[in-house]
Amino acid sequence: MERIKIDALLKSEPVGEKKLVKGWVRTKRGSKSVNFIALNDGSCIHNLQIVADTENFSEEVLRKVTTGAAISVVGEISESKGSGQSVEMIAEEIEILGVADSEKYPLQPKKHSLEFLREIAHLRFRTSTFGAVFRIRHALSFAIHDYFNKNGFYYLNTPIITGSDAEGAGEMFRVTNFDLDNIPKNEEGKIDFKEDFFGRETNLTVSGQLEAELGAMALSQVYTFGPTFRAENSNTSRHLAEFWMVEPEVAFADLKDDMDLAEDFLKYIVQYALDNCADDLAFLENRIEQEDKQKPKDQRQPMSLTEKLKFIVENEFERVTYTDAIDILRNSKPNKKKKFNYLIEEWGADLQSEHERFLVEKHFKKPVILYDYPADIKAFYMRQNDDDKTVAAMDILFPGIGEIVGGSQREERLSVLTEKMKDFNIPEEEMWWYLDTRKYGTAPHSGFGLGFERLVLFVTGMSNIRDVIAFPRTPGSAEF
RNA sequence: UCCUCAGUAGCUCAGUUGGUUAGAGCAUCUGACUGUUAAUCAGAGGGUCGUUGGUUCGAGUCCAACCUGAGGAGCCA
């Protein structure tokens, strides 16, 4: 008999038919005469209730049906006599595929703290919460490819090992094949990278953007979606040393086109989750509500998870220039009453988390796109505006997450770009290939980077980024 | 990296101004129960109180350093 997934079974409710299911036991309860087994196979949030009449099975078999065990069951589907589920399976054959010693198996049929589950990340997939999170993560990932494919973008795989250290996006992880106890030195006593595997210094990528630009300058529209590495000693609920980033790059597009693309893209992804992950979202929403009940009223979420997601889809993002944002902040109550840790005094200051949160959560109460930032606080490749003070950069800020997207129109004018690189101390000779796109057939182009885990955080309503990636890499932590 | 808080049974936590043998709920095990929904009821087992050092007649409790975790900040996506 062919196995049926529990999701398909619960949706079709084939009452009266004999079916085969396989999965992992969540709980077993019952009396002398009858046992109830909650079985989950990861195909959906729901469990299938298996009813096992103790007369039909040896004590030996039923004793091995414990939380965590993998079993295979054949039985007839019938309407449930109990409440809580509409159909159940009356077991005829139970095969134990893999036992789970109940004295040692760490997952119990009760709520565990997320901190504890992080320590057993290899098993946390088996909980309802992480099942929901990873199904949603998959759906979002699929929606991203779907959106770009429908809109004429090509998926470009940019290198993970990069020879360029000029990407300007933070500390990099060194990639080397050297025997670390015996590193070759040159005549000056410095490390001789000519002897290393690639014949040069190499690192893990911090961004695929520069390479994506090269692709966009021929294919018109490309996107990358891959792992990204930052060796920053960041210990927050929003940062990972290894994370996944989505980076579209579009030729013949200015900053407004870039903002339009990012907003449309985010709305499509969120709508996709609403349309395709209703059960998992409902579970997570309920979970958040239960947690909120423990908190004081002023710390509770103003909107439920699905309300929050619908709000994103249904409302225009607020577009504000950096200059206007500074004015709003300067005249804001927390600034005047000196409640900000960093007071806004003059134009040119970098915005802190508290300022971004004020704009998004208090002032506009919706996603905000900030654009036209001071050139001094942004990267070298961003296009200089006519005012000579600002660059065509934009950040999208989401409630609870902060910066979810960072993008810009790229500097396409060779002389302006090389001038900028001098100011930023970036050697032209290392970037010859990048500059070639400005020498030969240069054109306006734009793009942005989206932190995938931050998107997953927002859509699932989880609060720590380590709980939306299977095996988080953070400073001092690379178990599993 | 900085600031704050925490670390007691498998999990979640309580433990009084330092004072006999360190507790609870859940989980586990044993038994009871004809349909349970985190089943219920009865009983049992389970501890190097994060580590090291110090103060003291005496430390889970006080002090120091370190380790681990969480929240916030910086860096950013």
Side-chain angles (χ1 to χ4, degrees):
Chain A
M1 195 185 300
E2 198 177 323
R3 169 194 175 208
I4 184 170
K5 293 269 190 79
I6 289 170
D7 181 46
L9 193 156
L10 293 177
K11 278 182 180 146
S12 60
E13 299 195 345
V15 171
E17 292 177 38
K18 193 180 271 196
K19 294 290 178 190
L20 165 66
V21 293
K22 297 181 183 187
W24 293 268
V25 176
R26 285 287 171 83
T27 61
K28 184 183 71 171
R29 47 182 180 266
S31 63
K32 195 183 194 174
S33 61
V34 63
N35 276 196
F36 299 95
I37 302 159
L39 194 72
N40 188 282
D41 66 2
S43 60
C44 62
I45 190 83
H46 305 293
N47 300 326
L48 175 66
Q49 170 151 287
I50 312 269
V51 183
D53 194 324
T54 49
E55 282 185 5
N56 299 337
F57 301 95
S58 70
E59 201 184 315
E60 167 89 22
V61 166
L62 288 179
R63 207 173 46 231
K64 286 179 182 168
V65 179
T66 59
T67 301
I71 63 172
S72 166
V73 188
V74 174
E76 192 178 302
I77 307 304
S78 88
E79 285 182 26
S80 181
K81 286 187 216 164
S83 57
Q85 60 280 316
S86 64
V87 295
E88 61 193 14
M89 174 181 275
I90 310 300
E92 290 164 27
E93 297 164 38
I94 296 177
E95 187 189 347
I96 309 294
L97 301 174
V99 296
D101 184 342
S102 51
E103 300 217 38
K104 290 178 184 154
Y105 186 64
L107 288 172
Q108 303 159 10
K110 66 170 248 181
K111 199 161 184 178
H112 286 98
S113 67
L114 295 172
E115 290 85 357
F116 172 67
L117 293 172
R118 238 168 262 156
E119 291 168 14
I120 50 165
H122 58 306
L123 295 173
R124 67 180 179 169
F125 294 111
R126 299 186 185 189
T127 64
S128 297
T129 299
F130 284 92
V133 166
F134 288 108
R135 280 187 297 272
I136 292 170
R137 184 183 164 112
H138 160 79
L140 294 173
S141 178
F142 180 82
I144 286 165
H145 288 296
D146 192 38
Y147 177 87
F148 287 128
N149 185 52
K150 280 181 179 158
N151 286 282
F153 284 73
Y154 299 109
Y155 180 31
L156 184 68
N157 299 116
T158 52
I160 289 167
I161 298 172
T162 170
S164 149
D165 64 352
E167 285 160 5
E171 289 294 308
M172 303 178 98
F173 286 102
R174 169 79 38 82
V175 175
T176 182
N177 212 27
F178 280 148
D179 173 358
L180 296 184
D181 293 324
N182 184 22
I183 298 172
K185 301 279 173 65
N186 61 20
E187 287 158 6
E188 294 165 28
K190 293 190 173 159
I191 297 170
D192 187 5
F193 286 104
K194 287 199 179 78
E195 294 286 312
D196 207 349
F197 187 88
F198 294 106
R200 60 181 303 153
E201 200 175 338
T202 50
N203 295 291
L204 292 179
T205 183
V206 292
S207 163
Q209 181 203 312
L210 300 185
E211 290 90 347
E213 284 188 48
L214 313 180
M217 295 309 281
L219 297 164
S220 282
Q221 300 185 116
V222 300
Y223 71 104
T224 72
F225 185 0
T228 309
F229 307 87
R230 304 272 167 94
E232 301 286 347
N233 193 3
S234 301
N235 293 286
T236 82
S237 54
R238 302 183 307 283
H239 289 86
L240 291 164
E242 177 183 289
F243 64 101
W244 288 67
M245 189 150 68
V246 180
E247 294 176 293
E249 196 69 34
V250 186
F252 315 115
D254 64 14
L255 188 68
K256 183 181 177 301
D257 299 325
D258 202 34
M259 293 192 277
D260 290 345
L261 173 68
E263 183 168 345
D264 188 54
F265 166 75
L266 284 167
K267 286 177 171 171
Y268 181 89
I269 306 301
V270 171
Q271 184 63 54
Y272 186 91
L274 284 167
D275 292 343
N276 292 278
C277 307
D279 286 355
D280 287 324
L281 287 172
F283 175 85
L284 292 172
E285 175 168 308
N286 183 257
R287 188 181 177 286
I288 293 162
E289 274 167 23
Q290 299 303 317
E291 294 241 303
D292 264 16
K293 281 182 188 166
Q294 317 286 326
K295 293 182 189 165
K297 274 191 177 152
D298 59 323
Q299 285 178 29
R300 293 182 192 174
Q301 305 280 336
M303 280 187 250
S304 76
L305 182 59
T306 44
E307 277 169 357
K308 195 178 76 171
L309 298 180
K310 281 181 186 156
F311 185 84
I312 294 293
V313 174
E314 288 163 5
N315 289 278
E316 298 267 301
F317 295 6
E318 192 72 37
R319 299 188 188 190
V320 194
T321 63
Y322 166 88
T323 304
D324 290 344
I326 287 289
D327 280 341
I328 291 166
L329 288 166
R330 199 190 280 139
N331 295 315
S332 69
K333 266 191 199 165
N335 201 56
K336 285 183 170 166
K337 292 188 175 170
K338 309 209 169 178
K339 290 276 171 64
F340 283 143
N341 289 319
Y342 297 86
L343 293 176
I344 297 290
E345 275 156 13
E346 55 193 51
W347 193 92
D350 209 347
L351 298 183
Q352 310 292 319
S353 300
E354 57 181 350
H355 306 129
E356 296 180 350
R357 266 209 312 278
F358 174 82
L359 289 170
V360 173
E361 290 162 21
K362 295 271 159 40
H363 190 81
F364 291 112
K365 296 194 166 88
K366 58 155 101 168
V368 173
I369 310 183
L370 288 179
Y371 67 99
D372 286 350
Y373 278 84
D376 296 346
I377 59 172
K378 287 291 180 183
F380 76 94
Y381 51 75
M382 297 186 177
R383 192 179 193 278
Q384 191 83 39
N385 286 326
D386 293 341
D387 63 11
D388 265 2
K389 281 160 56 187
T390 61
V391 288
M394 63 106 176
D395 285 352
I396 301 186
L397 310 176
F398 264 30
I401 309 285
E403 187 179 338
I404 194 165
V405 161
S408 67
Q409 185 172 343
R410 319 306 188 188
E411 184 55 75
E412 85 280 14
R413 297 161 296 187
L414 182 63
S415 59
V416 181
L417 184 58
T418 51
E419 208 46 44
K420 242 349 207 331
M421 286 169 69
K422 270 183 206 136
D423 294 346
F424 279 77
N425 285 320
I426 296 165
E428 276 183 45
E429 57 275 17
E430 273 187 35
M431 301 286 286
W432 63 273
W433 43 272
Y434 186 68
L435 292 169
D436 265 9
T437 55
R438 273 66 169 173
K439 274 183 201 157
Y440 310 121
T442 192
H445 61 289
S446 300
F448 64 81
L450 167 89
F452 182 56
E453 281 76 16
R454 289 192 181 171
L455 178 71
V456 184
L457 255 191
F458 182 78
V459 174
T460 57
M462 300 293 284
S463 47
N464 192 314
I465 201 162
R466 292 160 201 159
D467 296 331
V468 298
I469 188 166
F471 303 108
R473 270 82 181 96
T474 52
S477 173
E479 187 83 53
F480 308 109

